[in-house]
Amino acid sequence: MLNKLMRYRASGRRLTVAGASLMLLAACANSSTEASNTAASSIATPAIPEIVASYTPEQPSFAEWRRAFRDEALAAGIRPSVFDDAFKGIEPDPSIVQADQSQPEFTRPVWQYLDGAVSPQRLAQGRRALSQYADILDAIEQRYGVNRHILVAIWGLESNFGNNIGDKSVIRSLATLAHEGRRPSFAHTQLIEALKILQQGDVSPQRLLGSWAGAMGQTQFIPSTFNSYAVDFDGDGRRDIWESPADALGSAANYLSASNWQQGTRWGTEVSLPRDFDFALADMAIRKPVAEWATLGVRLNAESGLPSRLAEQPVSLLLPAGYRGPAFLVTGNFRSILRYNNSTSYALAIGLMSDRLQDKSDIQASWPRDDRPLSRTERIELQERLDASGFDPGAADGIIGANTRKAIRRFQDTLGVPADGYPTYALLEQLRER
């Protein structure tokens, strides 16, 4: 019953039934909102006023939830002493609920994100890290085949080289999210995984710290990723991504290696496109050999282009800011970085920072900094108007995913403009005029 109540609470369902006598039955049976009155009308009884009850299943208290979760944790193999020690004094954190429920109206465009991510200060810190941890990075590269500059870039973006690992109790954060977060099932799973970390002895409850969402340590692993890929690279008997740079960097390398990282292959390279290029080909779902892209007029940067031995390697064309911005051919290693953090802006920042740490030149093309990024409300409106015009963007959720980009391309085709699938305010205005 606890799980059923939590599912109703998470989905926001309300059960409405005809007749107060049916309300409890409907709640227990998970009835739909359209309970039938047929049985009641077939009984020859005097007419009585219809009572319509609106029922919202009561959310269990944190104490009730904790008792039920303890049973599940013990059934999953967690020792009672481990659970009780981890949950000693744990109460919900209101700041976690607030952070989870917040929906930012505005997001930074990719060029602003890159300005901060690949800043001169971070590059200087990265170069110092490359020098300070050269021996460790040598050993990591030899074992896992992952480029040291990629690892240092990840380290820099995830935790500012170990300086910002988060100060929230991972147990408290995940318990709060499992009890009343937007994705309780995910938090529930991660909380079990966090308890496994404690049971394995890698860290104490007091040092199991991370972000409000439960990402941990210098590499910001979630608990399940830690249990699958964290390594004891310094050989002290513990997988300590909180205080050991060797363990943190080795764990990141192990994760990328398991994510099909190809040794000796770049993440990608900036390219130039011809004026008459078919921009609909700029899609991560489309992969072509480098040689085939060349026949389409795609020109590689002479300084940082892909080696000729990779001419037959399938790569994709990425336009992070549409046809007016820089273009990149990205390899399978770019997709491996996306496994770490599924954001093209993040993966691009990692790739570009790794290049700059090797003293390679910055992006040559200019970003369309005059573009005004759409707010979340405007992105939802864009999707709604695309749908109303028959372009089928999928759910109007404010997320510009593959379906929305396809819909934008179909609309752009009707306008006779480059079909790059990139949402702009000008495009929204044209939809408003339809």
Side-chain angles (χ1 to χ4, degrees):
M1 175 59 83
L2 172 61
N3 287 337
K4 292 177 181 177
L5 291 178
M6 291 300 292
R7 284 197 295 271
Y8 276 120
R9 180 198 56 72
S11 63
R13 293 186 187 178
R14 296 176 65 88
L15 302 180
T16 303
V17 296
S21 62
L22 293 178
M23 184 174 65
L24 182 59
L25 175 62
C28 295
N30 289 346
S31 299
S32 72
T33 58
E34 299 174 352
S36 172
N37 292 325
T38 304
S41 62
S42 65
I43 301 174
T45 56
I48 59 174
E50 182 182 41
I51 302 173
V52 179
S54 179
Y55 175 64
T56 301
E58 182 180 354
Q59 177 183 339
S61 69
F62 185 76
E64 292 170 332
W65 170 86
R66 172 177 162 165
R67 283 194 294 271
F69 178 71
R70 186 180 188 277
D71 292 340
E72 295 184 35
L74 268 56
I78 303 300
R79 294 191 299 270
S81 60
V82 171
F83 184 96
D84 295 340
D85 189 35
F87 271 81
K88 187 180 300 180
I90 294 293
E91 295 292 339
D93 185 343
S95 69
I96 301 296
V97 177
Q98 182 178 4
D100 183 53
Q101 293 177 348
S102 65
Q103 294 272 7
E105 180 65 14
F106 297 95
T107 56
R108 288 181 296 171
V110 59
W111 50 89
Q112 286 185 9
Y113 175 79
L114 293 175
D115 288 344
V118 195
S119 66
Q121 180 181 7
R122 184 167 278 123
L123 287 170
Q125 289 179 283
R127 292 187 178 99
R128 288 194 294 270
L130 284 167
S131 175
Q132 182 177 354
Y133 297 99
D135 291 344
I136 291 174
L137 291 165
D138 282 342
I140 290 174
E141 279 187 330
Q142 184 174 0
R143 182 180 300 183
Y144 298 108
V146 178
N147 179 285
R148 69 182 61 203
H149 304 94
I150 290 288
L151 294 174
V152 169
I154 289 175
W155 194 21
L157 261 66
E158 291 295 342
S159 68
N160 192 25
F161 307 100
N163 292 307
N164 299 323
I165 65 173
D167 58 2
K168 298 283 189 183
S169 162
V170 170
I171 297 298
R172 187 184 187 194
S173 295
L174 291 174
T176 300
L177 294 171
H179 176 239
E180 53 184 318
R182 289 184 297 114
R183 296 192 298 163
S185 178
F186 175 79
H188 176 283
T189 299
Q190 294 305 314
L191 186 51
I192 293 288
E193 296 291 331
L195 291 170
K196 290 179 181 178
I197 294 172
L198 296 177
Q199 184 155 288
Q200 291 157 1
D202 288 300
V203 65
S204 67
Q206 294 72 30
R207 290 185 53 237
L208 187 61
L209 302 175
S211 71
W212 68 264
M216 313 177 307
Q218 299 185 31
T219 50
Q220 291 293 278
F221 277 6
I222 59 175
S224 59
T225 300
F226 179 96
N227 284 329
S228 296
Y229 302 105
V231 298
D232 173 23
F233 200 81
D234 62 14
D236 69 350
R238 295 182 298 114
R239 299 175 296 172
D240 186 0
I241 64 172
W242 293 267
E243 295 187 2
S244 169
D247 286 2
L249 293 166
S251 297
N254 186 40
Y255 183 75
L256 289 175
S257 177
S259 300
N260 300 316
W261 185 269
Q262 297 176 336
Q263 185 174 4
T265 300
R266 287 175 48 80
W267 63 273
T269 186
E270 186 181 7
V271 296
S272 300
L273 306 178
R275 290 183 178 274
D276 59 349
F277 187 76
D278 179 5
F279 292 97
L281 296 175
D283 190 319
M284 288 293 289
I286 298 175
R287 307 187 195 192
K288 296 178 181 293
V290 175
E292 186 174 341
W293 286 113
T295 65
L296 297 172
V298 178
R299 292 188 293 109
L300 276 64
N301 183 301
E303 175 192 350
S304 58
L306 299 170
S308 58
R309 64 182 173 82
L310 301 178
E312 296 305 317
Q313 179 178 352
V315 296
S316 298
L317 180 64
L318 177 68
L319 300 178
Y323 79 98
R324 295 179 59 218
F328 304 89
L329 284 181
V330 295
T331 69
N333 283 351
F334 187 86
R335 297 177 189 274
S336 297
I337 300 171
L338 287 174
R339 285 281 308 277
Y340 201 105
N341 183 323
N342 191 27
S343 160
T344 55
S345 294
Y346 173 89
L348 187 59
I350 296 298
L352 292 173
M353 184 174 173
S354 72
D355 284 353
R356 297 296 303 281
L357 289 173
Q358 298 173 76
D359 296 324
K360 294 179 179 178
S361 62
D362 201 356
I363 297 173
Q364 301 301 303
S366 299
W367 294 103
R369 293 181 181 268
D370 57 331
D371 269 359
R372 181 176 78 75
L374 298 179
S375 68
R376 180 174 181 272
T377 299
E378 289 169 337
R379 294 195 299 272
I380 291 174
E381 181 188 354
L382 176 78
Q383 291 169 321
E384 291 173 341
R385 291 184 179 276
L386 285 168
D387 185 59
S389 297
F391 295 107
D392 190 20
D397 54 8
I399 300 173
I400 307 299
N403 289 334
T404 299
R405 293 189 186 281
K406 289 177 183 177
I408 290 173
R409 287 192 178 99
R410 288 191 287 267
F411 178 51
Q412 289 171 324
D413 279 335
T414 68
L415 300 175
V417 299
D420 58 9
Y422 183 67
T424 64
Y425 186 74
L427 201 68
L428 176 59
E429 285 188 316
Q430 288 176 302
L431 279 167
R432 287 170 175 169
E433 294 173 358
R434 290 174 71 89

